[in-house]
Amino acid sequence: MTYGVTCSRAHLDTLGGGLPGPDEINWAGVSAWQNGVAPAFAGRYFLGTPTQPEADLDIGFCLWSHGEGGDPAGPAAVVPLQRSEPDRQQATGILGAQFGAEDAHAVGAYLERCAGVGDLVLPLDRYYVLVFLEVDSGVAMSVDYWSMWAHTVEGIVLDLHPQGLARSLKPAIACAFEQAAPGSPALPEASVQVCLSQPAPAGRHRTCYGFWCRTVLATPVFGEFVQDPVEGPVPVRYRRTFDGPGGSPNPPGVPASVLSTLPLITVDEPVAGSPDDPLQYALEARPWNPAAPPPPDSATAPANLPTQFGVDLAYPFDARTGVGTRVPDRKPMAECMGSTPMLIRRLPAGVVSNKFGPLDLGTWRDGADALSGRPSFCGRYMAPHFNSLTREEAFDIFVAGMAVVSIWQLGREMLDGFGHALQAFAAAEALGQPPHTPVYFATDVTVDDPRDPGSPSMQRVTDYYRDVRRGYRQYRTAGGTTPYYIGAYGPANVLDMVYRGGLATHFWQPWPPNWGPPVPFPPDWTLIATGWRAWPHLNAWQILLCANSDQPALVADNHAILSCVPANDLDLNVAWGDPGSWFPR
């Protein structure tokens, strides 16, 4: 018996360290429900955003995150999915082709980044990767979208770490199936058949390499759908057997331990009698963690080192004029930053206080092992920040050799996330920020901090991110044509919250080491504060805050790049895979 799960409302890993929380999958319960057999694979989304019902009902949507496949109880094989986006899939003509190319490039790039950091690999005996495009029931996908999506996907080749293998992607479709009459063969929904049967524009590869039947059928017999006589029938690779989020009733005798998990997952299985094993075309998840061992170990480097370097800054406020730094004055600063290498000989790992003050226990990497290179991204604040990013400056940053990462911050009260989202995503579209890239909403304050009477509660921060999601949906409903992601910039306890709740898809941890410590504070809290160590599912980590005096060696090593901006008003970052950076279009 081989089966798997598909999950959009939960990640594959658990963060609780004990029994799974209410928004996490209970793998032991799932296995007990399935006669003691553990799931062999998981369908996971690598492209997609929350739906309107999810935002309205505070239901999480979880995009694949670095490191979520490290739970030993979870499935190792991962089948990539792209979520249905009806407005884009139904577009016709040049616009439909544009959307198809954009979406295919985005899902391919996301898979490449995951392969690049090493949390997804392909075993030696596998030859390509199936990527399933989800098509919601009733969506009349246009041949313009499909043919360009399929053509673009088939042209993407993964360079799979660590073997150095080159493997191509192949387009497939996950959709509803229907029967002409009870007992008759099940075939893909008529709208999907119509789309695949139409001739594509000349020169486009439009072959579908497999179906995933998303309709729960008691005893299905699948009919043959032939798209291309030369290729023969398109094989049905997987079929759904239980659709918890879709409303399948709980089976009789289901263990109590799995009841909270059933609304988070569907159950799927490979179709018996397929010409080959669909898992031969799946990726495999590997344990992944960006953090160094905890103190007092200061010699062991993280197993997964950063792959990129970057900066973030607001630019100095000009006290003489009472306004921010003029856009023309930012251009030479961007050129300086983009052409000056960063040197990272130490990543923060912990600190202990003694009679001489804080003693840094960072992880050292000297000589040839030191991390160095030019910054590849620049984090910038969006309007109405006093030094907000402009379209002109975005191009200046691009010409300087860096991509942009968007940051939204308006005060520290964490109120009116709905209004903030409307402003932020409209500003992103006006800046030419491309689709499927995040805007990071900043929680620039300690949360649930008993030492600080002004610290907001975690409930307020949770409500803020929920309101951001509602604001994003309103931005789309009101005519925003570009799909974006919601990123979270905040302390470790905030990142934990938004990760578990499926409220954000990209995660950026700021510098201050006392952000996100355990509560209540133990006597040696500075030694074990999580803010000093990389949070487990990071995209980016700010490791130096405006020439922070607690890191004199890091400051000295990076004097040149810090000097690119007046008063050294520049923060340094590292990233894994990609922090959600973009080039203006």
Side-chain angles (χ1 to χ4, degrees), residues 420-471:
H420 288 189
L422 289 178
Q423 295 180 71
F425 293 117
E429 200 162 55
L431 287 167
Q433 180 171 336
H436 311 301
T437 54
V439 174
Y440 284 93
F441 291 82
T443 306
D444 201 11
V445 64
T446 56
V447 176
D448 270 346
D449 187 345
R451 301 165 303 167
D452 180 4
S455 173
S457 68
M458 186 61 75
Q459 185 60 55
R460 184 196 294 181
V461 176
T462 303
D463 291 343
Y464 176 82
Y465 280 100
R466 286 173 174 166
D467 287 342
V468 167
R469 292 208 316 166
R470 295 188 182 99

Side-chain angles (χ1 to χ4, degrees), residues 137-527:
S137 183
V139 172
M141 182 168 61
S142 75
V143 68
D144 302 297
Y145 180 94
W146 164 255
S147 62
M148 186 58 83
W149 187 87
H151 180 86
T152 306
V153 163
E154 198 160 0
I156 296 172
V157 176
L158 298 183
D159 183 9
L160 286 154
H161 174 88
Q163 302 99 329
L165 301 175
R167 294 291 184 258
S168 62
L169 302 181
K170 297 292 184 183
I173 291 178
C175 63
F177 272 52
E178 57 191 13
Q179 296 169 288
S184 64
L187 287 165
E189 202 171 44
S191 58
V192 173
Q193 295 186 50
V194 169
C195 174
L196 294 182
S197 299
Q198 296 180 54
R204 292 187 196 167
H205 301 286
R206 64 183 186 95
T207 303
C208 178
Y209 287 83
F211 290 122
W212 190 328
C213 172
R214 297 173 60 239
T215 304
V216 178
L217 302 170
T219 55
V221 175
F222 292 109
E224 292 187 344
F225 173 78
V226 178
Q227 182 190 17
D228 185 328
V230 176
E231 297 286 342
V234 180
V236 182
R237 305 284 190 174
Y238 301 100
R239 75 178 188 95
R240 185 141 300 166
T241 62
F242 173 82
D243 193 358
S248 292
N250 292 340
V254 63
S257 61
V258 80
L259 284 175
S260 63
T261 288
L262 295 187
L264 304 176
I265 63 171
T266 71
V267 178
D268 302 88
E269 64 181 32
V271 172
S274 292
D276 46 20
D277 179 4
L279 293 184
Q280 286 295 110
Y281 309 109
L283 294 158
E284 285 197 359
R286 293 289 174 89
W288 188 93
N289 193 323
D297 184 348
S298 61
T300 304
N304 302 103
L305 291 167
T307 60
Q308 293 189 42
F309 312 105
V311 297
D312 71 283
L313 74 165
Y315 288 113
F317 181 77
D318 193 334
R320 298 170 300 171
T321 62
V323 296
T325 305
R326 295 171 60 248
V327 173
D329 295 336
R330 302 177 197 174
K331 182 175 182 179
M333 299 182 207
E335 292 172 344
C336 177
M337 291 183 290
S339 60
T340 307
M342 289 171 53
L343 175 61
I344 311 297
R345 291 191 296 161
R346 176 172 53 180
L347 293 170
V351 67
V352 60
S353 296
N354 59 23
K355 64 181 180 179
F356 302 108
L359 175 64
D360 187 355
L361 296 177
T363 301
W364 282 92
R365 296 178 62 82
D366 278 323
D369 288 335
L371 304 174
S372 64
R374 294 196 315 165
S376 63
F377 65 91
C378 179
R380 289 288 291 113
Y381 290 87
M382 307 170 74
H385 190 277
F386 67 85
N387 263 328
S388 59
L389 175 69
T390 67
R391 187 163 172 77
E392 177 187 347
E393 184 196 348
F395 277 100
D396 288 340
I397 292 171
F398 167 58
V399 172
M402 296 181 292
V404 177
V405 180
S406 300
I407 309 169
W408 172 268
Q409 181 176 343
L410 189 62
R412 300 189 177 190
E413 295 80 13
M414 309 306 296
L415 299 171
D416 192 22
F418 185 89
H420 288 189
L422 289 178
Q423 295 180 71
F425 293 117
E429 200 162 55
L431 287 167
Q433 180 171 336
H436 311 301
T437 54
V439 174
Y440 284 93
F441 291 82
T443 306
D444 201 11
V445 64
T446 56
V447 176
D448 270 346
D449 187 345
R451 301 165 303 167
D452 180 4
S455 173
S457 68
M458 186 61 75
Q459 185 60 55
R460 184 196 294 181
V461 176
T462 303
D463 291 343
Y464 176 82
Y465 280 100
R466 286 173 174 166
D467 287 342
V468 167
R469 292 208 316 166
R470 295 188 182 99
Y472 170 74
R473 291 309 319 172
Q474 180 60 31
Y475 148 78
R476 294 298 307 277
T477 300
T481 59
T482 309
Y484 291 118
Y485 291 131
I486 296 169
Y489 172 102
N493 54 354
V494 170
L495 299 185
D496 266 5
M497 178 275 294
V498 294
Y499 179 86
R500 292 173 190 269
L503 299 177
T505 59
H506 291 69
F507 308 96
W508 188 345
Q509 181 180 4
W511 158 255
N514 61 328
W515 285 19
V519 177
F521 301 113
D524 60 345
W525 74 270
T526 52
L527 176 64

